[in-house]
Amino acid sequence: MAVSRLVLTDFRNHEDALLAPGPGFVVLSGENGAGKTNVLEALSLLAPGRGLRRAPLAEMARQGGSGGFGVAARLGPESGGIDIGTGTQAGAPERRLVRINGATAAATSLAEWVSVLWLTPAMDRLFVDAAGERRRFLDRLTLALAPGHAHHSTRYEAAMRERNRLLADDAAPDPDWLAALEARMAEHGAALDAARHAAVSALAERLATQPEGPFARAGLALEGWQGDADALVRALAAGRRRDAAAGRTLTGPHRADLLVTHLGKNQAAHLCSTGEQKALLLGLVLAHAELVAERAGRAPILLLDEVAAHLDPGRRAALFARLEGRGQVWMTGTEPALFAAVPGGATRYRVADGTLLAE
């Protein structure tokens, strides 16, 4: 499902922007700081979560604006599509509001309508950063295949925060209250773990059978806790004293890590060169987008920030050829020439100082 209309109001450096992109490639070109990535960030808010920058909501409101911001999108055809809106109000800058076809909705419900995946320069260190970054990346991949994943993640995190607070603030916490929180963690944690393993297994199988090409094939595995709800309940109950001393929960699916290897070299991704890591990440995202289109019956919206600048001409052409006809793909770059090989029919915008001009 593609975005046919996008309206930004007081979002970052965009005071009032209107875009009417086509269903295929959408190219945003302009100087650094013009506001290209801001458009992609706005699109990333059409999915559950904090967006591609993971920034506080208050930071997204335009300086000198009303104090709040709005992102409104039409999914599907201009006539008869689905309207999604999200943003904040000046009086509550950290409270996210979501509306679907005019009705108030939970942010987690966005995954039922659209899948959004992104690749940004900040993700180039994914394989050498802390496990939390790879876990968040994996959860975005999983969410596109299992829309209920956001609900389980939210409930699990909320119960864990309450358990941690209870263990830290009370010398003799109520065991029944703890047991209830741990049961809630176990219910949603087991669902998280199962969805992650299913996503990793499906994606790893797809990658393993792909032929060698311009983008490296990644081998995937999930490391860390795994088990059913009963096993997690027992582990949490047994670890109360240890968790109280540590000030955090040390057992559970929130400690999982995504292990990635370069199949062609049989080498762990974090030991590969920077260029190889970029190729692994790009190949992984492309394979996942194709998997989502097959499994969910709808191609995800892909947001590729400054991706062309790091590819040689041959790989750029191969990237565009692979993406053609596979849904809506938004790409940014400083030079329009980087996208000369994009197939015809692309929607192109020139971005300058928060304004967008169709080319």
Side-chain angles (χ1 to χ4, degrees):
M1 182 149 320
V3 173
S4 57
R5 174 163 46 86
L6 180 67
V7 179
L8 309 183
T9 304
D10 282 339
F11 184 81
R12 295 289 188 180
N13 68 332
H14 296 282
E15 180 178 1
D16 186 15
L18 170 63
L19 297 88
F25 289 102
V26 185
V27 176
L28 307 175
S29 59
E31 298 179 353
N32 293 327
K36 305 183 299 297
T37 304
N38 294 342
V39 176
L40 300 192
E41 183 181 25
L43 288 162
S44 72
L45 294 178
L46 300 180
R50 295 173 56 184
L52 60 80
R53 285 192 175 107
R54 292 186 56 78
L57 291 170
E59 290 185 5
M60 300 179 189
R62 185 175 64 90
Q63 294 184 11
S66 64
F69 72 86
V71 176
R74 170 67 57 88
L75 298 177
E78 183 63 28
S79 176
I82 299 165
D83 289 319
I84 290 180
T86 187
T88 64
Q89 296 178 337
E94 285 295 351
R95 182 189 175 199
R96 183 179 178 183
L97 304 175
V98 173
R99 289 185 176 275
I100 299 176
N101 286 335
T104 301
T108 53
S109 68
L110 291 171
E112 301 172 11
W113 299 95
V114 62
S115 299
V116 186
L117 303 174
W118 55 82
L119 190 58
T120 71
M123 294 168 62
D124 287 352
R125 291 185 51 82
L126 181 71
F127 302 130
V128 296
D129 273 340
E133 294 299 320
R134 289 183 293 279
R135 193 162 50 247
R136 280 188 284 271
F137 174 71
L138 172 59
D139 281 338
R140 287 198 299 275
L141 301 184
T142 304
L143 179 63
L145 293 165
H149 192 65
H151 167 77
H152 291 298
S153 179
T154 299
R155 294 298 179 89
Y156 178 84
E157 293 288 340
M160 182 170 64
R161 285 194 301 270
E162 182 65 11
R163 177 180 181 270
N164 290 344
R165 186 200 63 76
L166 190 61
L167 289 173
D169 296 346
D170 197 334
D174 184 340
D176 292 335
W177 191 358
L178 276 175
L181 290 171
E182 289 164 355
R184 196 184 311 164
M185 287 180 63
E187 174 191 354
H188 297 292
L192 279 180
D193 182 66
R196 285 172 178 168
H197 273 89
V200 167
S201 177
L203 188 52
E205 181 179 350
R206 185 180 188 88
L207 286 163
T209 58
Q210 286 187 338
E212 295 291 346
F215 307 110
R217 295 181 303 131
L220 305 177
L222 194 58
E223 181 182 61
W225 181 90
Q226 59 179 309
D228 58 18
D230 291 340
L232 185 52
V233 163
R234 292 193 297 270
L236 291 169
R240 289 174 184 175
R241 181 171 297 181
R242 181 191 61 179
D243 292 348
R248 63 187 188 279
T249 301
L250 299 175
T251 300
H254 63 286
R255 306 278 291 178
D257 192 6
L258 177 65
L259 303 183
V260 182
T261 58
H262 189 308
L263 288 179
K265 299 182 65 175
N266 193 27
Q267 185 176 57
H270 70 275
L271 299 177
C272 294
S273 69
T274 301
E276 288 171 331
Q277 290 178 5
K278 183 76 173 183
L280 278 170
L281 186 56
L282 187 53
L284 201 164
V285 169
L286 293 175
H288 178 261
E290 294 163 358
L291 179 63
V292 171
E294 291 179 4
R295 293 286 184 91
R298 66 185 185 204
I301 296 172
L302 276 180
L303 312 177
L304 305 179
D305 192 21
E306 300 289 351
V307 67
H310 303 285
L311 299 175
D312 58 58
R315 282 189 170 85
R316 281 202 299 271
L319 172 64
F320 302 150
R322 183 166 175 179
L323 290 172
E324 185 178 10
R326 296 186 180 273
Q328 194 173 54
V329 182
W330 295 67
M331 299 183 292
T332 69
T334 55
E335 298 296 334
L338 293 170
F339 305 101
V342 171
T347 306
R348 300 173 187 265
Y349 287 94
R350 187 70 179 175
V351 187
D353 297 326
T355 61
L356 295 103
L357 300 174
E359 292 186 331

